[in-house]
């Protein structure tokens, strides 16, 4: 993996990258961009049809798995084999008011957004250490880790936990040459994001605080993820990197 000075092109040649939640949205764009940068991509989703469409486009390996199931999450990571780059992107967002947040919603959110990251990262990082290779892990978090939003109790708590888990991972895995960072996007215009934030009464106040005057696109997040995974970011470790268009500065 190198940064070519003549083109400033990130090159993941001979590197295998595992991307969870790769069927749609941000995860799919990350998988596509990693492929463009010559990575050998292993894409994970619980929806087989989405993986087949992605495989047809980029020729990646695919694994169907429900990461909310702890046994299935571990089995998936073991099946993935030797991995050099890991993107823990899979997540669910069950938005309910605080006083109406169901225990089942909380448990599902924590299982997918937090527990699965621990399990998958344990398996992949142990194998990296056994192989004696340096690696890079990016956990896709959210600005809701920093910014309290109505109806986001379970989701925000899971992402705040993910940021802190990422820091502990960075501390413990750093001596083995494995960097770990989390990426914290603002609203991203996935299909779900469009449905949730296109209403001016909801999205308008949020958009008004972003100096760039737009929400993020999937490509905006994927490009940052690829940079942070690369050797060009070799001294970035333990960050919770806000990708918010300047929201936090206002």
């Amino acid at each position: 993996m190198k940064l070519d000075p003549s083109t400033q092109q990130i090159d993941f040649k001979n590197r295998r990258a595992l991307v969870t939640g790769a069927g749609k949205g941000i995860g799919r764009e990350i998988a596509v961009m990693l492929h463009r940068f010559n990575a050998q991509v292993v894409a994970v989703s619980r929806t087989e049809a989405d993986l087949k469409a992605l495989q047809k486009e980029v020729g990646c390996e695919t694994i169907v798995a429900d990461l909310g199931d702890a046994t299935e999450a571990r089995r998936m990571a073991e099946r993935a084999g030797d991995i050099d780059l890991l993107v823990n992107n899979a997540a669910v967002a069950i938005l309910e008011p605080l006083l109406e947040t169901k225990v089942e919603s909380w448990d599902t959110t924590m299982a997918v957004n937090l527990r699965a990251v621990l399990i998958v990262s344990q398996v992949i990082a142990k194998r990296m250490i056994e192989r004696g290779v340096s690696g890079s892990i990016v956990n896709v978090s959210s600005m809701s880790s920093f910014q309290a939003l109505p109806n986001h109790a379970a989701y925000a708590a899971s992402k705040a936990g993910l940021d802190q888990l990422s820091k502990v991972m960075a501390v413990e895995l750093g001596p083995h040459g494995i960097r770990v960072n989390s990426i914290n996007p603002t609203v991203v215009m996935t299909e779900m994001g469009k449905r949730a934030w296109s209403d001016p009464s909801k999205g308008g106040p949020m958009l008004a605080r972003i100096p760039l005057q737009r929400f993020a696109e999937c490509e905006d997040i994927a490009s940052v993820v690829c940079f942070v995974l690369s050797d060009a970011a070799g001294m970035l470790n333990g960050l919770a990197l806000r990708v918010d268009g300047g929201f936090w500065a206002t």
Side-chain angles (χ1 to χ4, degrees):
M1 184 168 61
K2 64 181 180 180
L3 197 64
D4 185 339
S6 65
T7 62
Q8 295 300 296
Q9 176 76 26
I10 293 171
D11 190 355
F12 293 120
K13 186 177 181 180
N14 299 322
R15 295 295 180 101
R16 296 186 77 240
L18 176 63
V19 183
T20 68
K24 292 183 174 70
I26 296 170
R28 191 182 198 282
E29 186 59 34
I30 291 170
V32 170
M33 195 170 290
L34 282 167
H35 170 75
R36 290 175 185 158
F37 291 152
N38 301 316
Q40 301 167 23
V41 177
V42 182
V44 179
S45 173
R46 61 183 176 181
T47 306
E48 186 174 10
D50 291 339
L51 289 177
K52 285 183 176 179
L54 178 61
Q55 185 178 47
K56 184 176 180 180
E57 181 177 345
V58 302
C60 60
E61 299 175 44
T62 63
I63 302 175
V64 178
D66 179 0
L67 299 184
D69 182 303
T71 300
E72 198 166 338
R74 185 171 299 278
R75 186 180 299 123
M76 178 281 295
E78 291 170 347
R79 179 180 168 188
D82 292 345
I83 297 296
D84 306 289
L85 310 168
L86 171 61
V87 182
N88 287 304
N89 169 73
V92 296
I94 305 172
L95 306 184
E96 298 169 335
L98 173 66
L99 299 181
E100 299 172 21
T101 296
K102 302 178 187 65
V103 170
E104 296 79 9
S105 302
W106 181 275
D107 289 347
T108 297
T109 301
M110 296 302 165
V112 177
N113 295 9
L114 195 52
R115 186 182 67 190
V117 174
L118 172 67
I119 294 170
V120 173
S121 298
Q122 283 178 329
V123 174
I124 299 302
K126 283 180 181 178
R127 184 59 185 146
M128 288 180 182
I129 294 169
E130 289 170 0
R131 293 160 57 214
V133 301
S134 299
S136 184
I137 300 173
V138 169
N139 298 325
V140 179
S141 186
S142 168
M143 279 297 294
S144 67
S145 172
F146 307 109
Q147 180 71 28
L149 296 171
N151 306 322
H152 281 64
Y155 184 78
S158 73
K159 293 302 187 179
L162 179 59
D163 284 352
Q164 197 62 20
L165 173 61
S166 300
K167 292 176 184 178
V168 174
M169 290 169 64
V171 169
E172 295 196 17
L173 298 178
H176 299 284
I178 302 170
R179 297 184 298 108
V180 184
N181 295 282
S182 59
I183 301 296
N184 301 68
T186 183
V187 174
V188 182
M189 289 289 94
T190 61
E191 290 305 313
M192 183 172 64
K194 291 174 183 176
R195 290 195 299 271
W197 294 94
S198 292
D199 183 350
S201 65
K202 181 178 181 180
M206 179 75 75
L207 192 60
R209 284 193 57 185
I210 299 177
L212 293 182
Q213 300 183 348
R214 69 176 180 89
F215 291 133
E217 300 292 340
C218 292
E219 295 87 346
D220 295 318
I221 310 307
S223 61
V224 174
V225 169
C226 287
F227 167 72
V228 174
L229 286 172
S230 78
D231 285 345
M235 275 300 286
L236 298 186
N237 191 39
L239 290 182
L241 182 59
R242 295 187 292 270
V243 187
D244 65 353
F247 176 91
W248 203 247
T250 62

